[in-house]
Amino acid sequence: MTESASAQPRESLPLDSTAQLLTRITAQLGTQLSHVSLNGTRRPPMHRTIRPAPGATIAPALVAVAHGSRDPQALRTVMKLLDRVRELRPGLDVRLGHIELNEPLLPSTLTGLGSGDAVLVPLLLGRGHHVKHDIPAAVAAAPALRTTIAAPLGPHPLLVEALYGRLLEAGWPTEETVSGSSAVVLAAAGSRDPHSAADTRRTARMLSERLGGVPVVPAYASAADPTVSAATRALAARGRHRIAVASYFTAPGRFATAAAAAAPGIAAAPLGAHPAMARLILHRYDRALAGQARSGAHESAVNGALLASA
């Protein structure tokens, strides 16, 4: 470059006016705020498809299988519970299907998944007809979908923790102030299936331990004895006059309402969207996936041994 060329004065760039600067800043702030929801959390931009990174493994969908209820509070409660699950596991595809009474029904939910992978987690508290027959029948009717059915929610320590939490919310005293005349009735839906009754009895024993040895008696709203009223009378005859009813129901409904009405004292709310319930749903989902992986590894090993011996 010659000296004369370097000595030429530089052309100055035009400066934005104050109004132009304010307009630009406002536009940038508007773009940033469009990615933030009302509660302050960041959300993906509108009209944008989020795709997994190349080579990333897509987790199977979690299909929560609820019973269904004519009580409008039931659906709202289950939806709130699944929102908690999504908060604990962002990015997981969480869907809902009902066995009866509410939309979406389980077959419709499975059809909507097409030919992908899914783990069905029953929002049911024991092994009964719905777990053994209704859910497998719905899966059999969707052969294009690769599915695994998880165990029902109960019995499990996290379920007991949710029961304990609901009792405390209803006014159950702390362990230091529980009297010798205290007792709890564990009010469940009831089933003619002996495995379901065994699961409820086991949960009652676990809740008794959690309560420091306070007696916990299972009772049922239908299909089994004793009823909640009969259980409270029997406890009162044994000198237990401070009786609470623990609601062994996932969500509000006719049976939960009837059980609470029969309580002579404290009546706890259904398990609902208790944080321990959300953790338990993901625990059942993860255990089902782990069992599927073990089964696949065992099958691969067997096939490898057969090929080696051929």
Side-chain angles (χ1 to χ4, degrees), residues 26-83:
T26 302
Q28 291 175 349
L29 283 174
T31 301
Q32 294 298 319
L33 289 174
S34 69
H35 301 328
V36 181
S37 61
L38 293 177
N39 63 4
T41 59
R42 189 172 180 82
R43 63 187 179 195
M46 297 292 288
H47 312 299
R48 178 184 172 188
T49 302
I50 300 176
R51 295 182 176 87
T57 302
I58 301 175
L62 188 162
V63 178
V65 185
H67 182 276
S69 171
R70 292 184 177 88
D71 188 329
Q73 285 289 342
L75 180 57
R76 287 194 284 269
T77 299
V78 171
M79 294 298 290
K80 185 178 179 181
L81 173 59
L82 297 187
D83 282 343

Side-chain angles (χ1 to χ4, degrees), residues 12-18 20-21 24:
S12 60
L13 296 175
L15 297 176
D16 289 340
S17 67
T18 302
Q20 288 173 319
L21 285 172
R24 184 183 302 170

Side-chain angles (χ1 to χ4, degrees), residues 115-149:
S115 58
D117 297 273
V119 175
L120 279 66
V121 180
L123 303 187
L124 305 169
L125 306 179
R127 297 165 293 170
H129 183 81
H130 296 311
V131 171
K132 293 181 178 180
H133 300 283
D134 291 339
I135 296 176
V139 166
L145 187 66
R146 296 178 295 275
T147 59
T148 302
I149 302 175

Side-chain angles (χ1 to χ4, degrees), residues 159-169 172-175 207 210-211 271 274:
L159 194 59
V160 172
E161 202 58 35
L163 286 166
Y164 179 69
R166 293 301 188 216
L167 282 169
L168 291 181
E169 291 170 0
W172 180 261
T174 60
E175 291 184 13
L207 181 58
R210 182 66 180 87
L211 293 171
L271 297 161
H274 191 281

Side-chain angles (χ1 to χ4, degrees), residues 79-99:
M79 294 298 290
K80 185 178 179 181
L81 173 59
L82 297 187
D83 282 343
R84 284 191 178 274
V85 173
R86 294 183 183 99
E87 290 171 2
L88 291 174
R89 192 73 58 87
L92 179 63
D93 185 4
V94 179
R95 306 197 185 195
L96 173 63
H98 292 93
I99 293 171

